[in-house]
Amino acid sequence: KGYPSLYCFSLYMPSRYEGPLMKSQLENNAGIFACDGYDVFAAENDTLGTTKDGVTVKAVLIPKINVGVSQDGTAGNAKLFMAVWDKIIAGGRFRNYDWTIKVDPD
């Protein structure tokens, strides 16, 4: 799509508000779906839909990891994102792009 090329990824919870939000973004080619390459990650099976090019977009499964609260009162989700990065590195797709960008669904 352009230079520099962008590989974008999102971690989302399909059964929460993020699921319908991601599906809407896919339908409108918005958010990460406007990037040169993308992956979506979730701790449960989910199919977001089909791109305008006919590609089915499914979540890459990560292990279910309990998210607590850190000492400063924010989400203690470091291990969750470490699991995502493990999948990204193992998949290797990010190497085909100039930049890797983590995008929140909202």
Side-chain angles (χ1 to χ4, degrees):
K1 292 183 181 180
Y3 176 82
S5 59
L6 305 176
Y7 167 75
C8 302
F9 71 92
S10 289
L11 170 64
Y12 74 108
M13 294 186 284
S15 57
R16 299 294 209 56
Y17 75 94
E18 294 172 336
L21 182 59
M22 292 292 288
K23 288 179 183 184
S24 177
Q25 291 175 15
L26 175 62
E27 291 169 6
N28 292 288
N29 200 40
I32 68 168
F33 306 107
C35 294
D36 300 289
Y38 57 83
D39 280 309
V40 292
F41 297 87
E44 57 189 271
N45 282 317
D46 190 44
T47 300
L48 287 173
T50 305
T51 67
K52 292 178 177 32
D53 299 333
V55 177
T56 301
V57 179
K58 294 183 179 185
V60 176
L61 282 176
I62 61 165
K64 290 186 179 183
I65 297 171
N66 289 331
V67 175
V69 177
S70 67
Q71 291 178 349
D72 64 357
T74 59
N77 58 5
K79 288 187 179 184
L80 186 65
F81 281 99
M82 288 168 66
V84 171
W85 278 108
D86 286 345
K87 291 281 186 172
I88 290 170
I89 292 166
R93 290 189 62 220
F94 74 98
R95 290 185 174 93
N96 300 322
Y97 303 92
D98 297 308
W99 291 93
T100 298
I101 302 170
K102 181 247 182 213
V103 181
D104 287 340
D106 57 356

